[in-house]
Amino acid sequence: MSAPVRITLPDGAVREVARGTTPAEIAAAIGPGLAKAAIAARVDGELRDINRPLEADAQLALVTAKDEADALELARHDYAHVLAEAVQQLFPGTQITFGPSTDDGFYYDFAPKDRPFTEEDLPAIEEAMRAIIRADKPLRREVWPREQLISRWRQQGETFKAEWAAELPEGEALTVYWSGEDWLDMCRGPHLASTGKLDPQAFKLTRVSGAYWRGDQNNAMLSRIYGTGWLNKKQLDAHLTRLEEAAKRDHRKLGQEMDLFHLQQEAHGSVFWHPHGFTIWRALEAYMRRAIDAAGYREIKTPQLMDVAQWEQSGHWGKYAENMFAVPDIVPDGEGGAPVVAPDADWMAMKPMNCPAHVLVFRQGIKSYRDLPLRFFEHGCCHRNEAHGALHGLMRVRQFTQDDAHIFCREDQIVEEARAFCALADRIYKDFGFTYAVKLALRPEKRFGSDADWDKAEQELREAVERAGMANADYGWEELPGEGAFYAPKLEWHLTDAIGRTWQVGTLQSDRVLPERLDASYVGEDGAKHRPVMLHRAIFGSYERFIGILIEHYAGKFPLWLAPVQAVVATIVSEADDYARHVAAALAAAGLRVETDLRNEKINYKVREHSLAKVPALLVVGKREAEEGTVALRVLGQERQQVLSLDTLVARLKDEATPPDLR
């Protein structure tokens, strides 16, 4: 008889149980309520099936639906497997491949026998999935020898699964999960105990797309079915409502309706800003300049093109060349023919980031320790060679402009400079109505620099956030192992928008690598040369993406100071045209962006049109208003109008249109 194993529970209690006892049995021994609630287990920190036997002493934590992150991961993984089983029931001969969970659901890639799947297939697949869930089929884990599993896949015509199994590392246990007694898939797990643990009303299949096997366009095209999955119908309904609201707020749709910008294939990934859109850009740019001027930054401008040798020295060419636009440094022959690239031609690259150029500015002239900290800021236009399929409106582009800055400082200045940046970012994000979380991304596996330098840099950023009073739950403080840049750890600011979505925007990186690689130095108090530390920082991130986020955050209804058209003066009758021009002139003199609508249209038509255009203030004037020197003010989103004197109206709108940092 084998010796019992010692299982330590989260409260420190220790239970001795027979080897092979399952977490489900331990839950049942503790009490029937926990037995019913437990859906999985963490064994020495690893998430496992509730029915997987315990074979050694271990720390055990039972997982319930209250552990929402784990519970959602399990449910979505199971929904993906149920989807695969349902598809093979409905469409015999379909091959299965992979089916992971995602941030809000799951997908599975299939190789259909006869035709690609379409969205018309989804209702039938959903019903088949619900039948499998209601059947409450046990999900059972087994470990198989490699050749046995490969042989089974080949016998069943599952060529994709056979290929993948054959390429897994030698000696790795290959696990399969049975759904009932008649369907299995290769999977590491874990899973819920049975399909009946899923809520049949808490998922929805959302769309179908094409996907290449293993992400390689040279491989077979598969059909990918996406779904969203939750723990209960209430969560699903809330998610679908968010999706509906997000669709209404889509910056691409609103950008077209509000005449802000457009994109076209002649300039993939680059934005054509229209006057109204660029008005928003200019308001943001002026706001940011005021902020950085007050914080002691010095604005510079650096070249778009630099010799590839510079990028090799900085390390970017070795890490990032596939995402850079490179051009030969040649002069056309002037004969009208196509330029010929000589084998020995030098190559230039368009900058994907501004930091190496800022180091070159720092290196001009001798810098003393008294000159530091030196804060260089640039509205820097950059280019990155993103794949066409990855581009997405303003959110993912090839050409973008960063509110970029680099702070060159001494070792003893790092923490205070980082703290001051945290305070600056806090004020700016709050001016735009965002709440946010601060996260620290730690060293990745592949990186430049010594472990000692990484230790120091990570601790400095921690201390700065602590001094700023943000290293706590109120600010969503969290550390992210392995997610830093290859040259530096970084603080990240994750904004939460009006409908609860998060956007990673601002960053602060503490870098000792680039100053070393590009030979930046200053003369210390001891008369010797020292390396500065370089803090890379941005708050908006890029103007393009930040404007896209703002459009969706505000649903196009910008606060008055940011609105491209702040007021429209609309007439009821043509006799009021001159007075409308007078009102518009008074507002323009007060610094407001104002237009007139003197068209021979009914006022209700004008009100509807300008409301759709998201104009914050519609000023209606007719004969009475002209005679009395008043204006009827209709505020966007409000039903009732107010009649104000012209002077009162101008003063009110001027105050509301004042940027938050100038109030």
Side-chain angles (χ1 to χ4, degrees):
M1 182 174 179
S2 60
V5 294
R6 290 170 56 84
I7 303 302
T8 305
L9 301 175
D11 63 359
V14 176
R15 289 177 174 253
E16 288 196 352
V17 299
R19 193 178 306 274
T21 299
T22 67
E25 291 169 333
I26 293 176
I30 294 172
L34 184 58
K36 183 177 180 180
I39 57 174
R42 282 203 173 272
V43 180
D44 293 333
E46 178 190 359
L47 191 62
R48 289 191 181 180
D49 305 327
I50 193 75
N51 290 319
R52 182 171 170 183
L54 297 163
E55 301 294 345
D57 295 350
Q59 301 274 341
L60 173 67
L62 295 165
V63 176
T64 71
K66 292 181 179 179
D67 303 299
E68 190 165 289
D70 285 340
L72 281 170
E73 176 73 19
L74 287 162
R76 288 165 179 167
H77 193 173
D78 283 13
Y79 279 127
H81 280 252
V82 171
L83 166 61
E85 183 177 356
V87 166
Q88 288 200 311
Q89 281 182 6
L90 291 173
F91 303 95
T94 297
Q95 293 189 58
I96 54 175
T97 63
F98 294 124
S101 61
T102 65
D103 287 343
D104 62 4
F106 55 94
Y107 70 80
Y108 210 107
D109 290 345
F110 301 95
K113 179 181 179 182
D114 301 316
R115 60 168 177 81
F117 296 131
T118 69
E119 294 190 4
E120 285 71 29
D121 297 317
L122 299 186
I125 298 173
E126 285 184 351
E127 285 308 307
M129 291 176 66
R130 291 190 179 96
I132 292 169
I133 292 169
R134 293 189 181 103
D136 196 17
K137 303 171 71 170
L139 298 173
R140 181 167 46 86
R141 178 180 184 269
E142 291 183 355
V143 179
W144 282 29
R146 171 187 304 276
E147 292 307 319
Q148 178 186 354
L149 184 55
I150 294 171
S151 174
R152 178 186 174 93
W153 290 137
R154 287 174 176 163
Q155 288 172 7
Q156 294 190 337
E158 297 281 5
T159 59
F160 296 95
K161 286 288 190 183
E163 177 185 326
W164 183 246
E167 293 183 11
L168 290 172
E170 289 287 342
E172 180 174 319
L174 301 187
T175 54
V176 300
Y177 278 82
W178 287 93
S179 174
E181 300 297 328
D182 55 355
W183 191 87
L184 66 76
D185 196 358
M186 179 172 68
C187 180
R188 287 192 177 92
H191 284 277
L192 298 172
S194 68
T195 61
K197 298 295 184 183
L198 298 170
D199 184 336
Q201 302 303 321
F203 78 94
K204 182 176 178 59
L205 301 183
T206 54
R207 62 191 175 95
V208 178
S209 72
Y212 292 108
W213 166 237
R214 301 174 78 169
D216 187 338
Q217 64 183 0
N218 296 313
N219 290 340
M221 174 65 78
L222 307 173
S223 282
R224 174 172 295 177
I225 298 178
Y226 287 93
T228 185
W230 300 86
L231 300 180
N232 53 60
K233 189 175 187 300
K234 182 178 178 181
Q235 288 184 342
L236 173 66
D237 289 344
H239 175 69
L240 295 177
T241 299
R242 285 194 298 270
L243 290 181
E244 183 179 345
E245 183 62 30
K248 294 176 186 175
R249 293 168 178 259
D250 190 312
H251 72 281
R252 296 166 297 179
K253 172 178 172 287
L254 290 174
Q256 182 176 7
E257 291 175 358
M258 298 174 67
D259 194 25
L260 303 180
F261 66 90
H262 83 275
L263 301 110
Q264 63 185 71
Q265 63 181 5
E266 285 80 2
H268 278 296
S270 298
V271 183
F272 293 82
W273 289 101
H274 298 189
H276 286 172
F278 202 62
T279 296
I280 299 170
W281 180 300
R282 289 179 61 191
L284 291 174
E285 196 172 59
Y287 172 94
M288 184 55 71
R289 278 204 170 93
R290 292 191 298 271
I292 60 109
D293 287 348
Y297 289 80
R298 303 169 70 180
E299 190 167 359
I300 62 176
K301 195 71 176 171
T302 60
Q304 287 289 299
L305 278 169
M306 292 200 300
D307 195 297
V308 161
Q310 182 67 40
W311 298 106
E312 289 174 336
Q313 187 178 353
S314 71
H316 291 91
W317 191 251
K319 292 279 185 179
Y320 209 72
E322 70 274 12
N323 294 110
M324 295 172 69
F325 291 101
V327 296
D329 185 11
I330 61 172
V331 178
D333 60 16
E335 297 298 323
V340 177
V341 180
D344 59 349
D346 291 328
W347 285 82
M348 309 283 283
M350 300 188 78
K351 64 178 179 181
M353 52 204 63
N354 302 296
C355 28
H358 287 202
V359 177
L360 298 183
V361 175
F362 178 86
R363 284 178 49 187
Q364 294 301 299
I366 297 173
K367 300 295 186 297
S368 162
Y369 69 96
R370 296 188 183 89
D371 298 322
L372 306 184
L374 190 55
R375 308 178 188 97
F376 286 151
F377 177 91
E378 180 174 9
H379 284 114
C381 181
C382 299
H383 290 79
R384 294 182 185 173
N385 192 7
E386 304 279 3
H388 289 189
L391 301 175
H392 178 73
L394 300 180
M395 304 302 193
R396 190 84 177 262
V397 292
R398 284 177 155 187
Q399 176 185 296
F400 56 94
T401 299
Q402 295 178 307
D403 66 310
D404 204 7
H406 296 88
I407 303 169
F408 297 88
C409 55
R410 306 189 306 262
E411 295 275 346
D412 63 301
Q413 297 171 326
I414 296 169
V415 174
E416 174 54 25
E417 285 298 308
R419 184 211 62 78
F421 176 74
C422 290
L424 177 63
D426 177 73
R427 177 172 66 78
I428 289 175
Y429 292 141
K430 286 178 178 175
D431 276 349
F432 289 92
F434 289 113
T435 57
Y436 63 84
V438 185
K439 303 180 187 295
L440 175 58
L442 304 173
R443 70 195 74 185
E445 183 177 343
K446 295 182 179 179
R447 58 187 181 269
F448 291 156
S450 68
D451 285 345
D453 280 348
W454 278 87
D455 289 342
K456 191 182 298 184
E458 290 172 352
Q459 184 53 36
E460 287 160 349
L461 294 183
R462 282 191 194 97
E463 186 176 342
V465 177
E466 289 168 1
R467 288 194 191 179
M470 298 175 182
N472 54 62
D474 289 344
Y475 285 89
W477 173 247
E478 183 182 5
E479 297 193 4
L480 307 174
E483 295 193 21
F486 68 88
Y487 54 85
K490 61 179 176 175
L491 292 174
E492 300 176 347
W493 277 258
H494 295 251
L495 308 189
T496 301
D497 70 10
I499 59 172
R501 297 171 301 181
T502 58
W503 307 87
Q504 196 267 297
V505 179
T507 58
L508 175 70
Q509 302 168 6
S510 178
D511 179 13
R512 289 173 168 84
V513 172
L514 202 58
E516 178 72 32
R517 293 182 71 94
L518 295 183
D519 195 26
S521 65
Y522 67 92
V523 178
E525 194 172 5
D526 58 1
K529 283 188 174 183
H530 297 266
R531 296 286 183 214
V533 175
M534 187 176 181
L535 302 181
H536 307 242
R537 48 114 295 177
I539 295 177
F540 291 163
S542 82
Y543 277 82
E544 288 80 1
R545 185 164 178 266
F546 195 70
I547 291 173
I549 292 169
L550 288 178
I551 292 170
E552 299 198 0
H553 176 59
Y554 294 124
K557 299 174 183 177
F558 289 100
L560 198 61
W561 75 276
L562 269 180
V565 178
Q566 294 169 323
V568 169
V569 186
T571 54
I572 299 173
V573 292
S574 59
E575 289 93 328
D577 287 359
D578 287 343
Y579 181 62
R581 296 186 185 99
H582 172 70
V583 171
L587 290 167
L592 283 114
R593 298 184 287 272
V594 59
E595 296 178 356
T596 59
D597 186 347
L598 310 180
R599 295 173 298 167
N600 184 24
E601 297 285 357
K602 291 182 178 180
I603 191 61
N604 287 343
Y605 177 86
K606 294 181 182 182
V607 169
R608 184 168 58 254
E609 186 173 87
H610 295 300
S611 295
L612 290 172
K614 308 296 190 294
V615 176
L618 182 61
L619 315 177
V620 178
V621 296
K623 286 182 66 176
R624 176 183 296 179
E625 288 78 15
E627 291 167 358
E628 297 177 354
T630 59
V631 176
L633 169 63
R634 291 173 176 259
V635 176
L636 183 64
Q638 297 181 11
E639 292 294 327
R640 303 180 68 179
Q641 68 178 30
Q642 290 178 274
V643 177
L644 305 170
S645 70
L646 179 55
D647 289 345
T648 301
L649 174 78
V650 171
R652 172 174 165 173
L653 293 185
K654 181 179 180 180
D655 177 65
E656 292 180 7
T658 302
D661 60 313
L662 297 179
R663 291 177 184 168

